[in-house]
Amino acid sequence: QAGPGSFSRFDPGMQSAAEAHLAQATRLRRALASGEIRAWFQPQCDDDGRIVAAEALARWVRGDGSIVSPGEFIPLAEELGLISRIGEQMLPQAARLSAQLAGSGRPIILAVNLSAQHMHEPDFVARTLQIVREAGADPRLITLEVTESLVIDDYGTAAARLDTLRDHGFRIAIDDFGTGYSSLSYLRHLPIDELKIDGSFLRDAVADRRGELLFES
């Protein structure tokens, strides 16, 4: 990588790190195959403390009960091209729970995050519809969350696919707003139901008087 006319010295620590990385990658593939990646649900409550919605979060629970931090395995999954497989496992779990809750007379909206890899797959829309139908869930009770950067990086494809999904009843949310272009203009042309503003954007705004004026207006 350094090019001709250079040299590098072998570092045993690099070998150890590479072997540990490879071993963790192997464990992650096995975890996906064995169902160790599970959906945990973070509730959203109204002013009275009633749960009105929840978001599915991917958690890696090993066979011995120990939990691998998302900060460790999510970047690894993205590097290995496995993040779409995690998304594919989150959606069925959320859809099944949604159907169970609705069947028991306690319907709430469940949100699932979509990755760029997942959304750009050719059969993404058809596969999403199939998963929800097989679970017996109502698309109107499921929110599909996409990040601001995902939409901006491929606006045409993203907008078209989100339009199709919304036509089938899904709710659409933009996540992490404020970390990318943060342009309000493109939001007018997207089929979104919910805008989730990133915490860093809010912290910066509150610390800046001009930011305070923005939210006051």
Side-chain angles (χ1 to χ4, degrees):
Q1 291 179 345
S6 62
F7 67 91
S8 298
R9 180 176 61 85
F10 174 73
D11 182 352
M14 294 175 64
Q15 178 72 15
S16 299
E19 290 175 349
H21 184 78
L22 179 60
Q24 187 72 330
T26 300
R27 286 192 288 267
L28 177 57
R29 288 190 173 93
R30 291 174 178 169
L32 282 164
S34 63
E36 291 184 356
I37 307 298
R38 304 176 188 173
W40 287 16
F41 292 88
Q42 178 175 279
Q44 300 173 7
C45 303
D46 62 13
D47 292 341
D48 296 323
R50 293 173 298 189
I51 296 177
V52 294
E55 179 179 355
L57 304 175
R59 294 294 182 264
W60 180 356
V61 184
R62 289 174 170 156
D64 61 3
S66 62
I67 299 175
V68 181
S69 167
E72 180 179 346
F73 76 86
I74 293 296
L76 179 61
E78 291 175 341
E79 175 189 335
L80 298 173
L82 299 174
I83 197 69
S84 62
R85 289 187 57 190
I86 291 180
E88 288 175 354
Q89 294 194 6
M90 292 300 99
L91 183 56
Q93 294 181 58
R96 288 194 294 269
L97 178 60
S98 178
Q100 292 172 8
L101 290 172
S104 64
R106 296 176 295 174
I108 64 171
I109 296 173
L110 299 183
V112 179
N113 290 282
L114 301 178
S115 70
Q117 291 178 14
H118 193 187
M119 191 169 173
H120 288 155
E121 293 177 349
D123 63 343
F124 163 69
V125 172
R127 179 63 180 149
T128 299
L129 292 170
Q130 179 184 359
I131 289 172
V132 173
R133 287 167 179 164
E134 289 178 349
D138 185 345
R140 293 173 298 179
L141 295 174
I142 295 179
T143 296
L144 302 176
E145 293 190 2
V146 296
T147 62
E148 177 188 10
S149 59
L150 188 159
V151 173
I152 291 298
D153 289 344
D154 192 356
Y155 182 86
T157 299
R161 293 187 173 183
L162 294 178
D163 262 324
T164 301
L165 290 168
R166 198 165 186 267
D167 287 343
H168 282 88
F170 291 95
R171 291 171 50 84
I172 305 297
I174 299 293
D175 197 8
D176 294 339
F177 182 79
T179 59
Y181 293 89
S182 304
S183 171
L184 295 174
S185 61
Y186 72 82
L187 295 179
R188 294 181 303 165
H189 307 290
L190 287 174
I192 61 172
D193 301 281
E194 183 178 347
L195 184 65
K196 300 177 70 174
I197 301 175
D198 188 76
S200 62
F201 183 85
L202 294 174
R203 286 192 297 271
D204 293 342
V206 172
D208 185 343
R209 177 54 186 165
R210 288 175 296 181
E212 290 182 7
L213 292 174
L214 172 65
F215 284 95
E216 287 175 2
S217 62

